[in-house]
Amino acid sequence: MADPIKVLLVDDHQVVRRGLRTFLEVQDDIEVVGEAADGAKGVDRAQELRPDVILMDVKMPGMDGVDALRRLRELDNDARVLVVTSFTEQRTVVPALRAGAAGYVYKDVDPDALAGAIRSVHAGHILLQPEVADALLSQEESNFGPGRAGSLTEREREVLGLIADGRSNREIARALVLSEKTVKTHVSNILMKLDLADRTQAALWAVRHGVAG
């Protein structure tokens, strides 16, 4: 049996953390390894515990979720961050996604859907609601210059198309009959050639340029 997905809860409301923990602890494949009440403590705990997935609120006192995401990126912490928020405004969610979040869900999400979201981002998928993807595309459009696709090899375009479909590295490896290590190399080359920060931006770039898997 595979090791459980290690989850860190970062939210300034204790009742929210307690509710999340109560539900997640009954999941056989998910283990809550710690909690934090603000972004700064969340970063410290993430460095200490090395969780697979972090459930992160956006609005918190002190260091908020967006700044915490940026700090985790600076520290090269490879935990996947799933934003759990009660705010639906694009001006709240979009900065978190641009800072490196793998996706977001609302605090009133169905419990089973939350567990599914955790499994999905852990597998390397990106969870974007259509309206947020549109907002991100609009904001990033000026960065998507013409002709950049020409720097990609045919194999890199195939990998990029599968990233846009939300496939994890493992799934891409299976689809293209490659090793995961080779896929990781292709992903790194794609990000470097297109001057993109992460898979979320790569997926958006692919959507903008009509690259399909």
Side-chain angles (χ1 to χ4, degrees):
M1 185 176 178
D3 292 334
I5 302 168
K6 296 184 293 184
V7 174
L8 173 66
L9 308 177
V10 183
D11 193 294
D12 59 320
H13 293 100
Q14 184 178 9
V15 66
V16 173
R17 300 198 308 272
R18 184 178 300 164
L20 290 171
R21 178 182 282 275
T22 298
F23 168 70
L24 294 176
E25 284 182 339
V26 304
Q27 304 297 312
D28 292 336
D29 60 340
I30 296 174
E31 176 187 4
V32 178
V33 295
E35 301 180 15
D38 60 51
K41 291 185 179 69
V43 171
D44 290 342
R45 295 291 276 164
Q47 289 295 97
E48 173 191 354
L49 300 171
R50 292 289 168 175
D52 300 307
V53 176
I54 301 172
L55 300 188
M56 179 95 72
D57 193 8
V58 177
K59 297 294 186 181
M60 294 181 287
M63 180 184 286
D64 65 15
V66 175
D67 287 338
L69 277 158
R70 291 173 180 145
R71 182 59 180 152
L72 287 169
R73 178 182 287 178
E74 291 172 358
L75 293 169
D76 290 326
N77 190 297
D78 57 5
R80 302 278 286 170
V81 178
L82 180 63
V83 171
V84 183
T85 180
S86 57
F87 295 90
T88 60
E89 299 93 342
Q90 292 177 359
R91 67 176 183 272
T92 299
V93 178
V94 169
L97 293 170
R98 294 183 66 183
Y104 77 96
V105 295
Y106 298 128
K107 288 185 177 178
D108 61 355
V109 64
D110 177 84
D112 289 334
L114 175 61
I118 291 171
R119 297 180 185 110
S120 182
V121 298
H122 178 249
H125 297 303
I126 298 165
L127 297 180
L128 288 179
Q129 297 289 343
E131 67 273 15
V132 175
D134 290 343
L136 276 167
L137 283 170
S138 176
Q139 292 185 15
E140 297 287 355
E141 188 171 11
S142 61
N143 294 327
F144 296 147
R148 296 166 104 188
S151 65
L152 300 178
T153 66
E154 185 61 33
R155 178 64 85 187
E156 287 165 353
R157 288 181 64 88
E158 289 179 322
V159 171
L160 179 58
L162 292 172
I163 291 174
D165 287 343
R167 305 286 190 92
S168 66
N169 285 350
R170 180 175 298 178
E171 291 170 330
I172 294 172
R174 289 174 180 168
L176 300 180
V177 195
L178 300 171
S179 70
E180 284 191 61
K181 183 177 180 180
T182 298
V183 171
K184 289 180 181 178
T185 298
H186 284 314
V187 173
S188 295
N189 288 340
I190 290 167
L191 297 180
M192 179 184 67
K193 288 181 178 182
L194 299 181
D195 191 25
L196 301 173
D198 52 40
R199 295 172 74 96
T200 301
Q201 289 190 2
L204 291 167
W205 192 97
V207 172
R208 175 66 176 82
H209 288 273
V211 178

